[in-house]
Amino acid sequence: MSSQAETSTHVDDLFVIGGGINGCGIARDAAGRGLSVRLAEMNDLASATSSSSTKLFHGGLRYLEYFEFRLVRESLIERETLLRAMPHISWPMRFVLPYHRDMRFESETPTSKLLNMVMPWMKGRRPAWLIRLGLFLYDNLGGRKILPGTRRVDLSSSPEGAPLQSKFEKAYEYSDCWVEDSRLVVLNARDAEARGARIMTRTKVISATRADGIWQITTEDLETGEQVTHRARMIVNAGGPWVGDLIQNKVRLNSQEGVRLVRGSHIVTKRLYDHDKCYFFQGTDGRIIFAIPYETDFTLIGTTDQEHENPDEKPVCTEAEQDYLCNFASQYFKRPVTRADVVWTYSGVRPLYDDGASSATAATRDYTLKLDDNGGAPILNVFGGKITTYRRLAEHALEKIAPLFPGTKGAWTAGVALPGGDFEVSAVDTMMAGLKKDFPFLGDFWARRLFRAYGTEARDMLGDAKQAEDLGEAFGATLTAREIDWLMEREFARSAEDVIWRRNKLGLRLDAEQVARLDGWMKQRRAEVNFGGRT
């Protein structure tokens, strides 16, 4: 039952709507420049698009076919900038691109149209020389310093070729980076909060109006029903799939800007091969998918591109999409991938800027920032983007925002570590081994999981524990009460789902009874402890 809205007398500089990677990245950047920031997310942090990616910091090799050179170059430069700032939740990976002569372009790409004009006898096929050219550009556009370059692989005699059908005799191997996407969002929110931002989860914006050059933003706490009207000099609309709904129905702008919702679905299977490299598969329909080692014992396969009309309709990986991904992967693997191999699926909606592209696949993945200051108090609407360029998107957003706030500090986030990431990329194995040595009750899986999640802060969480029992109640799969308290106190977690699907992926290992016990324990714990006023 909603109560009468209270009106705050405080006026923030920025009110950010949306707790995905763009909203949290902008909040962090702005708070670090000295602006007062408040962020509202209607669910958990990273509860939509930002926890449903393919988990890669990558330049977007296929975007070269669309001549999106600026986006690819920026993304390639960012890979290493981000890797240095978060070497615990991001790490280098090698991608194997098998080649065969039947590979084809998606028919609407600029490259396909150009080649069909000058080389019609190719009939849409990707020639090997073009792939080599694309990989040469990929190696060199971004000024690569840490990651190794492309090499050719003989699949007939290598471990990379063992899981594949014998018709694939050669491949090209190149570098990109993995990232724990939802943890990236949480760490940005934590750093924003540490720099003075106020982060409000489970808080929905229900209206926003301009009055005397100030925004009046009314929010509702979705757990208590309490309504509060906040005041801010500027709004940043980083609502992701809901960016258009916010423009039209909450802020009520007279805007022609449109968003195109594209659903990307993934399947997670039992582990399909033994080595630690990823595959980049090209289909006869011109699309591509990845097959990636995932959470030690699994393989991640994705993604699809399907139109998605309603942001309020929860995206799911349909049976047709599961079949598509299984059949696509089966064109490469010796042992066919079937629905029986699938242990989990997930799907997210990409809020792309509507550039009028003819298909979901062709729609631009670049970001677009639109500033509206015609009505007094300004609003910045954020469209599109990809996880690799979130930091640059935030910088560009602040370039538009800063002139409205004289005296704002300059750009600062490049190379500044996120919580737990204050160590060198090359030190990962040494530090992981040190953690296991100092806490000998941690097995290999447990030590790796904690370090990959918390980095240098893993030691802070473990504290003076001498044995596993010192960490409190055990919920299964190495999850303990000590860790849950940490996540509730510092990382905004409120429910079992927040923990096992966004702070980690232990949902793949816990059964329904264990999850229910965890959820009940967290509810009881919230009733007993005020975790920094968040619960």
Side-chain angles (χ1 to χ4, degrees):
M1 190 80 174
S2 298
S3 59
Q4 183 67 35
E6 300 178 5
T7 301
S8 170
T9 58
H10 175 74
V11 181
D12 291 302
D13 292 325
L14 295 186
F15 191 101
V16 180
I17 306 174
I21 188 54
N22 290 337
C24 290
I26 290 170
R28 178 195 184 219
D29 194 329
R33 297 181 193 229
L35 297 177
S36 60
V37 179
R38 189 175 298 264
L39 180 147
E41 162 56 46
M42 64 180 175
N43 297 305
D44 181 30
L45 297 173
S47 58
T49 306
S50 295
S51 59
S52 303
S53 75
T54 314
K55 326 296 183 191
L56 299 177
F57 278 152
H58 67 120
L61 180 60
R62 76 178 186 87
Y63 303 151
L64 290 174
E65 293 184 8
Y66 294 90
F67 298 163
E68 297 215 38
F69 297 112
R70 189 212 63 78
L71 174 62
V72 174
R73 183 174 186 276
E74 182 175 79
S75 300
L76 290 171
I77 293 171
E78 278 297 285
R79 281 186 320 185
E80 297 197 3
T81 300
L82 298 173
L83 181 60
R84 290 187 180 96
M86 55 197 81
H88 51 327
I89 64 167
S90 179
W91 53 89
M93 299 187 88
R94 294 290 281 174
F95 287 73
V96 177
L97 192 164
Y99 176 77
H100 64 91
R101 66 182 304 274
D102 292 330
M103 289 173 176
R104 296 182 180 276
F105 292 101
E106 201 278 323
S107 61
E108 294 302 313
T109 70
T111 301
S112 177
K113 292 177 179 178
L114 179 61
L115 278 190
N116 284 339
M117 184 183 303
V118 300
M119 301 173 65
W121 59 89
M122 294 298 295
K123 298 181 180 178
R125 292 196 298 270
R126 284 183 173 101
W129 64 263
L130 188 66
I131 292 175
R132 289 196 299 270
L133 174 61
L135 289 168
F136 173 81
L137 292 173
Y138 205 69
D139 277 346
N140 293 285
L141 272 176
R144 176 177 49 85
K145 295 188 175 79
I146 299 176
L147 302 175
T150 298
R151 73 179 186 97
R152 183 166 170 165
V153 179
D154 181 357
L155 295 177
S156 64
S157 60
S158 68
E160 296 85 357
L164 303 180
Q165 297 175 24
S166 58
K167 68 178 180 179
F168 300 103
E169 298 178 351
K170 68 177 179 179
Y172 303 98
E173 183 181 298
Y174 68 95
S175 292
D176 265 322
C177 295
W178 176 266
V179 63
E180 298 288 358
D181 54 3
S182 51
R183 289 209 57 74
L184 174 64
V185 178
V186 170
L187 295 183
N188 270 272
R190 277 189 57 196
D191 203 48
E193 184 181 63
R195 298 174 190 278
R198 176 81 166 92
I199 308 296
M200 305 182 299
T201 61
R202 270 78 173 188
T203 302
K204 185 174 184 176
V205 171
I206 58 177
S207 68
T209 58
R210 290 171 166 129
D212 300 323
I214 297 292
W215 282 104
Q216 311 273 352
I217 307 111
T218 300
T219 63
E220 179 179 353
D221 186 311
L222 295 183
E223 293 182 335
T224 67
E226 180 185 11
Q227 291 189 1
V228 177
T229 297
H230 309 271
R231 305 171 73 218
R233 296 178 178 86
M234 182 174 184
I235 286 177
V236 174
N237 174 11
W242 292 270
V243 62
D245 176 69
L246 285 161
I247 290 173
Q248 296 165 13
N249 300 319
K250 304 299 190 294
V251 183
R252 294 184 175 87
L253 292 182
N254 182 18
S255 172
Q256 300 302 311
E257 304 298 337
V259 63
R260 184 171 192 167
L261 302 180
V262 176
R263 185 177 71 250
S265 295
H266 301 76
I267 59 175
V268 174
T269 70
K270 293 174 284 189
R271 187 169 178 170
L272 298 178
Y273 54 90
D274 293 332
H275 61 78
D276 62 356
K277 294 179 181 178
C278 314
Y279 288 106
F280 179 116
F281 292 154
Q282 303 177 86
T284 54
D285 62 354
R287 282 197 39 74
I288 65 100
I289 63 169
F290 295 103
I292 306 173
Y294 188 61
E295 295 293 321
T296 306
D297 299 317
F298 306 94
T299 300
L300 170 65
I301 299 175
T303 179
T304 60
D305 276 319
Q306 297 291 326
E307 303 287 354
H308 191 86
E309 298 299 326
N310 182 2
D312 291 325
E313 179 183 333
K314 182 177 174 59
V316 296
C317 182
T318 64
E319 291 186 359
E321 287 176 303
Q322 291 181 51
D323 288 338
Y324 172 81
L325 293 171
C326 287
N327 293 336
F328 198 142
S330 296
Q331 295 172 23
Y332 282 82
F333 287 119
K334 284 179 183 175
R335 187 181 74 79
V337 182
T338 69
R339 293 269 294 281
D341 295 312
V342 177
V343 298
W344 181 51
T345 69
Y346 67 90
S347 187
V349 176
R350 308 179 190 101
L352 306 180
Y353 183 68
D354 191 353
D355 60 353
S358 60
S359 70
T361 302
T364 181
R365 267 53 177 175
D366 209 346
Y367 54 83
T368 301
L369 307 174
K370 294 292 185 178
L371 179 65
D372 182 326
D373 58 356
N374 295 326
I379 179 171
L380 181 70
N381 295 303
V382 180
F383 300 90
K386 53 200 291 282
I387 199 163
T388 313
T389 52
Y390 89 89
R391 191 196 65 82
R392 289 291 288 141
L393 182 153
E395 279 191 341
H396 287 148
L398 267 295
E399 286 176 9
K400 291 181 175 290
I401 292 169
L404 305 174
F405 297 94
T408 302
K409 298 175 184 176
W412 65 276
T413 57
V416 177
L418 287 171
D422 49 337
F423 59 94
E424 295 296 324
V425 175
S426 59
V428 170
D429 290 340
T430 301
M431 296 189 71
M432 203 179 301
L435 183 69
K436 189 179 175 186
K437 178 182 177 182
D438 293 344
F439 298 90
F441 59 85
L442 299 176
D444 289 340
F445 172 82
W446 196 354
R448 178 182 175 82
R449 184 183 74 77
L450 291 182
F451 188 79
R452 281 304 190 189
Y454 306 107
T456 57
E457 291 189 327
R459 292 176 177 274
D460 299 331
M461 182 174 56
L462 292 167
D464 58 0
K466 298 293 189 293
Q467 55 190 356
E469 290 73 18
D470 295 336
L471 299 176
E473 187 168 351
F475 297 96
T478 72
L479 191 61
T480 65
R482 177 81 61 89
E483 184 175 359
I484 300 303
D485 273 352
W486 174 282
L487 295 174
M488 295 176 75
E489 180 179 0
R490 305 190 186 212
E491 296 200 1
F492 311 94
R494 295 194 186 184
S495 70
E497 182 183 348
D498 297 350
V499 171
I500 66 172
W501 291 118
R502 286 182 287 278
R503 306 310 184 275
N504 55 56
K505 289 296 183 289
L506 292 180
L508 290 166
R509 301 175 185 276
L510 297 174
D511 61 31
E513 184 178 338
Q514 290 171 312
V515 173
R517 184 164 66 90
L518 171 62
D519 210 36
W521 187 90
M522 290 180 69
K523 287 177 182 176
Q524 180 64 33
R525 193 71 170 145
R526 287 179 60 196
E528 297 170 348
V529 180
N530 179 7
F531 288 101
R534 295 196 181 108
T535 59

